[in-house]
Amino acid sequence: MPVRPRLSVLWRDRAGRFSALKAATLLALTVPALALALRWSLVGLGARPLNAAIHDLGLWGLRLLLLSLAISPARAVFGWARGLMIRRMVGLAAASYLAAHFTLYALDQGFRPLHIGHEIVHRVYLAIGFTALVGLAALAATSTNAMIRRLRRRWKQLHRLVYAVAALGLLHGLMQAKSDITQPAILVGFFAWEMLFRALPARRQSAPLVLFLLAFVAAAATAGLEAGWYAAATNLPWRRVLDANLMPELYGPRPSAWVGMVALAVAILATARSVFNRRGRAGPSAPEPVPLRG
Ligand code: HEM
């Protein structure tokens, strides 16, 4: 008889005990959807509410997808093994937000399958988004324990697809953003950090110096990618976009600054952890020898 998954797996650990971490994650993952629904019903979402909701859900889907990719680095840098318990949940939440993103798009198009198919085939950014969504659906469908057992080694290979899905999702986000790519550019920067981190040898991944260097490289790459995108896809002056990174007092923090600050915070925390661990290993200082009285 097939075993039906119980809803309580969402807040219980493998041993069936209540997990505060899983329950808190579940609650946190519903917040963007609830906030959107509340904003929509209480104050409205502007002149094109469906379009605004499509944007919001697309961005949250992508943020959560990148967050799920950040859980392995969090284990490597901070030894946070418990994070693995919520990785699948975060990945499935990303897939749900992006499924809702597509459903609202279909609603916006009057749920006309032929018209939607025609649009997807003829608009490159939709074709790219759709390819990413199909890939994500395949990953979500094979994320059950039964599928992990059945596919064994092939499961890991299949789930490496998540990096291609994220890259396509980012490209789709950039392409639709037209003249303001600030939000997708921030996400591209975080993805660049995650990819560079993965390329490091495992024993170097928690080395503070390497993480400081990575913060600098990821921030510079974000600035370069942002300016490069404007140069290739728009007629906005890319030199001024690049210069804006050096003038936060005029333009506010640019995507490179957000990426740099978060990556720097990771490097600082990793340094604090390594100092703390070294002290812990040294243990309390040896007791002073008591002089023998004769
Ligand atoms: C994994 C798949 C996908 C991801 C990660 C994704 C992500 C995004 C992101 C980040 C945005 C931009 C939000 C912003 O900058 O405000 C966006 C916009 C949009 N996406 Fe997607 N998306 C995906 C799939 C799809 C699919 C399959 C469709 C429809 C076939 C679609 C239709 C749209 C539309 C219509 C917009 C707004 C475009 C506009 O206002 O001109 N997306 N998406």
Side-chain angles (χ1 to χ4, degrees), residues 65-78:
L65 193 59
L66 296 189
L67 188 65
S68 73
L69 297 184
I71 291 176
S72 289
R75 183 179 61 158
V77 176
F78 303 116

Side-chain angles (χ1 to χ4, degrees), residues 20-80:
L21 175 65
K22 284 185 90 175
T25 306
L26 182 62
L27 270 180
L29 290 172
T30 58
V31 169
L34 290 178
L36 177 67
L38 269 181
R39 254 192 311 134
W40 199 342
S41 59
L42 296 180
V43 289
L45 296 177
R48 295 175 64 200
L50 260 181
N51 191 264
I54 290 171
H55 277 258
D56 199 61
L57 291 167
L59 274 176
W60 274 107
L62 207 45
R63 284 179 189 134
L64 292 175
L65 193 59
L66 296 189
L67 188 65
S68 73
L69 297 184
I71 291 176
S72 289
R75 183 179 61 158
V77 176
F78 303 116
W80 192 50

